[in-house]
C-alpha cells in the first residue's frame, strides 16, 4: 500500500466531514473547522507550522533522540492533516500536491524558484 493511498483515504474522510456532505460540527473536529471557515483552519496551519519548526529546533539543540524525532514527525503529521483540510476546502486533494512534486522532480530548486519569480513578475507586469 502506497503513501498516496493513505493520504487519499484520509482525504476521503475529510471530504465526508464537510458540512455540505453532512459533516456534523458537534461530532467532528474537521466539520467544526470547516464550518468556522478558512480563518480557523488557516490559523491551525500556522500554529502547526510553528510547532514543526520548534520541534526541529529541539532536535538541533537536544540531539537526535528518538523522542525528539518522534515529536517532529507528530508535528509534521499535524501540519499535513490541517493542510489537507485546506486542500479539501478549496476543492483540491493530496494527488494535486503529489502531481506538483512529480512535476518538479529533477528540477533544481534554484531553477524552480527563479522560474516562479519570473512568472510572478510577468503576471504583475500584465
Amino acid at each position: 500500500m502506497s503513501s498516496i493511498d493513505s493520504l487519499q483515504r484520509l482525504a476521503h474522510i475529510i471530504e465526508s466531514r464537510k458540512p455540505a456532505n453532512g459533516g456534523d460540527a458537534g461530532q467532528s473536529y474537521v466539520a467544526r473547522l470547516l464550518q468556522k471557515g478558512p480563518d480557523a483552519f488557516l490559523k491551525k496551519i500556522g500554529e502547526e507550522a510553528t510547532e514543526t519548526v520548534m520541534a526541529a529546533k529541539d532536535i538541533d539543540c537536544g540531539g537526535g533522540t528518538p523522542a525528539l524525532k518522534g515529536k517532529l514527525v507528530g508535528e509534521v503529521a499535524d501540519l499535513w492533516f490541517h493542510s489537507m483540510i485546506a486542500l479539501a476546502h478549496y476543492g483540491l486533494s493530496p494527488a494535486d500536491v503529489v502531481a506538483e512534486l512529480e512535476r518538479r522532480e529533477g528540477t533544481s530548486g534554484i531553477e524552480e524558484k527563479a522560474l516562479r519569480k519570473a512568472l510572478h513578475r510577468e503576471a504583475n507586469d500584465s
Side-chain angles (χ1 to χ4, degrees), residues 75-126:
E75 295 302 344
V76 171
D78 291 344
L79 178 58
W80 286 14
F81 175 75
H82 289 90
S83 295
M84 288 178 66
I85 293 171
L87 288 171
H89 174 80
Y90 294 110
L92 299 165
S93 74
D96 296 307
V97 177
V98 170
E100 175 62 12
L101 291 171
E102 288 172 347
R103 184 192 68 75
R104 294 179 185 186
E105 189 175 352
T107 303
S108 158
I110 294 169
E111 291 171 7
E112 175 69 22
K113 186 174 181 179
L115 176 62
R116 279 185 281 141
K117 281 184 178 181
L119 291 173
H120 183 72
R121 275 193 302 271
E122 282 180 25
N124 286 338
D125 290 344
S126 22

Side-chain angles (χ1 to χ4, degrees), residues 5-126:
D5 291 337
S6 297
L7 291 174
Q8 281 304 119
R9 279 194 312 279
L10 180 55
H12 288 299
I13 292 168
I14 291 170
E15 192 67 30
S16 74
R17 300 298 201 274
K18 285 182 171 182
N21 294 334
D24 179 357
Q27 299 291 319
S28 167
Y29 172 72
V30 171
R32 189 174 318 131
L33 277 179
L34 289 168
Q35 183 180 51
K36 289 180 179 179
D39 285 349
F41 58 78
L42 295 175
K43 179 180 176 186
K44 285 301 295 180
I45 291 170
E47 290 172 8
E48 298 304 342
T50 299
E51 290 171 3
T52 297
V53 169
M54 297 309 297
K57 295 302 281 177
D58 287 347
I59 292 172
D60 289 340
C61 295
T65 67
L68 291 176
K69 288 182 177 182
K71 179 144 176 60
L72 176 59
V73 169
E75 295 302 344
V76 171
D78 291 344
L79 178 58
W80 286 14
F81 175 75
H82 289 90
S83 295
M84 288 178 66
I85 293 171
L87 288 171
H89 174 80
Y90 294 110
L92 299 165
S93 74
D96 296 307
V97 177
V98 170
E100 175 62 12
L101 291 171
E102 288 172 347
R103 184 192 68 75
R104 294 179 185 186
E105 189 175 352
T107 303
S108 158
I110 294 169
E111 291 171 7
E112 175 69 22
K113 186 174 181 179
L115 176 62
R116 279 185 281 141
K117 281 184 178 181
L119 291 173
H120 183 72
R121 275 193 302 271
E122 282 180 25
N124 286 338
D125 290 344
S126 22

